Amino acid sequence: MYPSLVLSAALVAPAAPLPRDTVPNVTGPAPRVLALKADGSGSVRVVATVYIKQTVTATQFVVEGNKQVQKEIEYDTVGTQYLNKTLADFNGKFTTADGRQLTANEATARVKAGATVLASADGQPISKAWLQSAHPDTVVMVADGLKHALIQWGGEPYPTTPPPQLAMLSSQNKGGVLAQVTTQATGQAYHDAIQFEGRVNRIRMAQWAGDGMYYPGAPASEAKVATKPLAEVKFEAYDLNGKLVSRNEALKRLAGGGMVLVAGDNRMPDDAYLKGFREDLLVLVGSELVLPIPPLDQTKKKQNTVKQQIRIFRD
């Protein structure tokens, strides 16, 4: 009889809280972290800049056989597209982090006074493992259009820091923990390289400025993403209340890997981004940990690759 009593108690008892800094099996990219609030008209909007890499044609005069001839050349360049949509404009699906379905109007009503929203980075459902970091009632949005977006705000009542990024740190076989880092840290940015007549021209970074706006035109970058032991990365750790956590304590807690929130620059993220997360989540602040956002690739090379893949699939 005793074993059955134990089993019954286990079935009816509330679930135990997840251990701090657990390492769930995540799939798909981390969701984008948004801090939304209604504007003066009562609308809740997502404002961003989308960087798009495209192939363009230019006319150039070259000398061939002692004659000047006109030629058309193609090269890839990166432009921008402004994005300003209400939640309803995304035509997406809304739920809470624990899976309750919401209409666009219900989601809007929940965040009008200011709230954290987790948005799919690739238009696909967000892995439940990523959502373990969020409060059950945090609003989750699945919609296209944010994977290549640099989220930006203009000032009050909006946040004055760039959005943080959720990250999963993995453990090494021989101990310690690995983190993805950027090889040239300049704040939250996009990066890419353009090949033009044998020369590589680096497109410029877009950086968060102190007045709450992004400005393109920071120094040119050759940033790449690499993997590095966290112990070798310069960072500071905080809890969600902004209290400093000692480096040794942070490394100890993350020794087996775990989920963290990485600041969007060298500052503790604005409180508006932190409302939707569990209190035991660590925030890491360090420029190396801020990964660049790649532009949307719409070049001819990309289009030809897609066509080849379709052709292979059909054959």
Side-chain angles (χ1 to χ4, degrees):
M1 182 175 182
Y2 178 74
S4 6
L5 286 174
V6 173
L7 178 59
S8 300
L11 291 174
V12 299
L18 288 168
R20 297 167 92 192
D21 311 311
T22 54
V23 190
N25 181 25
V26 297
T27 57
R32 307 298 303 275
V33 181
L34 311 180
L36 302 183
K37 189 174 183 179
D39 59 20
S41 68
S43 298
V44 176
R45 295 182 172 276
V46 177
V47 182
T49 298
V50 180
Y51 291 93
I52 303 175
K53 185 177 179 182
Q54 296 176 311
T55 302
V56 298
T57 303
T59 301
Q60 186 179 38
F61 289 94
V62 297
V63 177
E64 291 182 354
N66 295 325
K67 291 183 179 180
Q68 190 179 53
V69 295
Q70 180 176 309
K71 281 192 171 183
E72 288 189 344
I73 60 170
E74 291 182 341
Y75 64 95
D76 296 338
T77 186
V78 175
T80 60
Q81 186 178 72
Y82 183 63
L83 183 150
N84 186 335
K85 290 184 176 182
T86 67
L87 291 186
D89 289 338
F90 279 94
N91 195 29
K93 295 181 179 180
F94 298 88
T95 65
T96 56
D98 61 359
R100 287 170 287 165
Q101 299 292 324
L102 300 172
T103 65
N105 288 339
E106 289 171 336
T108 300
R110 280 174 174 258
V111 303
K112 271 192 172 183
T116 303
V117 174
L118 298 182
S120 171
D122 59 359
Q124 300 301 314
I126 301 169
S127 168
K128 291 183 179 179
W130 285 116
L131 299 180
Q132 289 183 19
S133 63
H135 288 308
D137 59 352
T138 298
V139 174
V140 175
M141 178 175 75
V142 177
D144 290 327
L146 291 177
K147 182 175 183 179
H148 305 278
L150 199 62
I151 311 298
Q152 61 189 45
W153 299 105
E156 297 296 340
Y158 305 113
T160 56
T161 66
Q165 304 166 336
L166 269 174
M168 176 57 65
L169 307 184
S170 60
S171 177
Q172 298 183 80
N173 293 331
K174 297 182 180 179
V177 64
L178 296 173
Q180 282 193 309
V181 298
T182 182
T183 57
Q184 184 172 329
T186 58
Q188 191 178 78
Y190 72 89
H191 76 99
D192 202 9
I194 302 170
Q195 187 75 31
F196 180 65
E197 289 192 339
R199 295 171 296 170
V200 175
N201 298 321
R202 298 290 167 179
I203 65 177
R204 301 179 74 80
M205 305 287 277
Q207 177 133 11
W208 184 273
D211 59 358
M213 286 293 290
Y214 280 113
Y215 289 98
S221 171
E222 298 184 7
K224 297 178 181 179
V225 176
T227 302
K228 187 176 180 180
L230 183 62
E232 298 178 12
V233 177
K234 185 177 180 181
F235 71 90
E236 292 181 340
Y238 298 86
D239 64 18
L240 290 192
N241 296 316
K243 181 181 178 181
L244 184 66
V245 176
S246 73
R247 182 180 176 88
N248 288 340
E249 172 64 17
L251 290 173
K252 182 179 178 181
R253 283 179 56 174
L254 296 169
M259 196 174 298
V260 295
L261 203 58
V262 176
D265 60 8
N266 278 320
R267 295 172 289 172
M268 181 71 180
D270 192 291
D271 288 343
Y273 293 111
L274 309 178
K275 296 177 181 179
F277 293 101
R278 288 174 23 172
E279 290 77 5
D280 56 359
L281 194 67
L282 281 180
V283 181
L284 303 187
V285 180
S287 57
E288 283 184 89
L289 295 169
V290 183
L291 302 183
I293 298 172
L296 175 62
D297 193 343
Q298 293 184 344
T299 61
K300 281 192 174 181
K301 181 180 178 181
K302 178 68 174 181
Q303 292 170 356
N304 290 338
T305 300
V306 172
K307 289 178 182 178
Q308 290 173 1
Q309 291 173 343
I310 294 174
R311 192 177 301 118
I312 292 172
F313 177 77
R314 287 176 176 171
D315 294 343

